[in-house]
Amino acid sequence: VSHKPRVLVVEDEPTIAEAIAARLEAEGFAVDQVHDGLAALERAAAWNPELVVLDVMLPGLDGHEVCRRLQADRPVPVLMLTARDDEIDLLVGLGIGADDYMTKPFSPKELVARVRTILRRTAAAAAGDGVVRVGDLVVDGPRMRVSAGQRHLELTATEFQLLATLARSPGRVFTRAQLLDAVHGVAFESYERAIDAHVKNIRHKLEPDPRRPRYVLTVYGVGYKCADA
Ligand code: CA
């Protein structure tokens, strides 16, 4: 039972809104769409989306104002859609707090990739003082606790740090040297095999079938990564 990130699409051109929504839904997101600025504020307040895809040119309240009011109410990542490349410089200059910008026309596939990147970045930032969730894997930083579904795991401090590092950036590949660095602060080439031993222990505790890991994956010739939920 994986969590579906909620994405609110705010776009007054129905064909574009529908194309974006359809692609996001196909990629596993929970999507709602509205077609003007005021409706965007109302829906965001009621539905609490995890990201807003926001067109700049909207009837009623424009995208700048919607973004400003969204951030004032409760900060939420925003991917802004613009009609022209040169608009982006203007928008960045205004400092309205969007996380990324895309110029029309764009491919829905590219939009989904941008959405994922923003959500990952946001999750990583939140992880500094909070809880990381990747699918059913929950890494609770402050309490140093890890659970997978209903199972609570007893990890050593090193195993915990290693898993937390991977889980904060799902899908990102870490070399053994990088992981050693994250765990101990200093990387020595000769100790990289120690990471393999830690990963083996983590898998033994975490994975239903350690021989066929689905959380911590080996990237052959490089290192490890946390499976992207
Ligand atoms: Ca528009």
Side-chain angles (χ1 to χ4, degrees):
V1 191
S2 68
H3 166 71
K4 285 190 169 190
R6 295 180 302 282
V7 178
L8 178 62
V9 176
V10 187
E11 165 62 77
D12 59 313
E13 292 167 62
T15 52
I16 296 177
E18 196 47 57
I20 294 171
R23 184 67 191 219
L24 283 166
E25 276 166 4
E27 302 266 354
F29 294 87
V31 185
D32 199 358
Q33 38 173 312
V34 293
H35 310 290
D36 68 75
L38 277 176
L41 293 175
E42 284 167 14
R43 192 69 189 118
W47 193 47
N48 210 8
E50 285 151 276
L51 186 142
V52 178
V53 176
L54 180 60
D55 186 31
V56 173
M57 296 295 287
L58 291 169
L61 285 181
D62 68 17
H64 311 143
E65 186 59 20
V66 172
C67 189
R68 201 182 64 73
R69 292 198 197 179
L70 283 174
Q71 302 308 329
D73 183 29
R74 184 189 68 88
V76 59
V78 171
L79 172 57
M80 202 79 126
L81 307 180
T82 73
R84 304 192 322 266
D85 273 327
D86 56 1
E87 248 179 2
I88 295 178
D89 291 337
L90 184 71
L91 291 166
V92 171
L94 288 172
I96 53 169
D99 291 77
D100 200 0
Y101 301 85
M102 291 187 83
T103 307
K104 296 176 186 175
F106 52 80
S107 78
K109 189 181 167 193
E110 170 67 11
L111 179 130
V112 170
R114 299 280 193 102
V115 164
R116 286 195 199 287
T117 301
I118 295 170
L119 287 174
R120 259 182 222 148
R121 212 160 59 205
T122 310
D129 56 4
V131 178
V132 187
R133 289 169 209 280
V134 187
D136 67 350
L137 180 66
V138 179
V139 180
D140 184 335
R143 292 174 192 79
M144 283 189 66
R145 283 204 302 237
V146 176
S147 62
Q150 301 299 313
R151 295 176 298 128
H152 294 272
L153 312 179
E154 295 290 329
L155 299 183
T156 67
T158 301
E159 289 164 7
F160 179 87
Q161 279 186 12
L162 199 53
L163 185 57
T165 300
L166 292 167
R168 276 182 207 120
S169 304
R172 180 182 152 190
V173 179
F174 290 82
T175 63
R176 289 175 180 81
Q178 286 171 329
L179 290 172
L180 201 59
D181 195 47
V183 170
H184 294 301
V186 187
F188 294 104
E189 198 78 24
S190 56
Y191 294 156
E192 285 180 23
R193 292 190 69 83
I195 293 297
D196 295 351
H198 289 307
V199 167
K200 192 178 168 195
N201 291 339
I202 291 171
R203 280 179 174 157
H204 185 71
K205 295 172 180 177
L206 171 65
E207 303 282 357
D209 181 353
R211 288 165 304 174
R212 292 183 190 77
R214 58 187 182 95
Y215 294 90
V216 177
L217 308 180
T218 301
V219 182
Y220 290 101
V222 185
Y224 297 96
K225 67 176 182 180
C226 180
D228 208 341

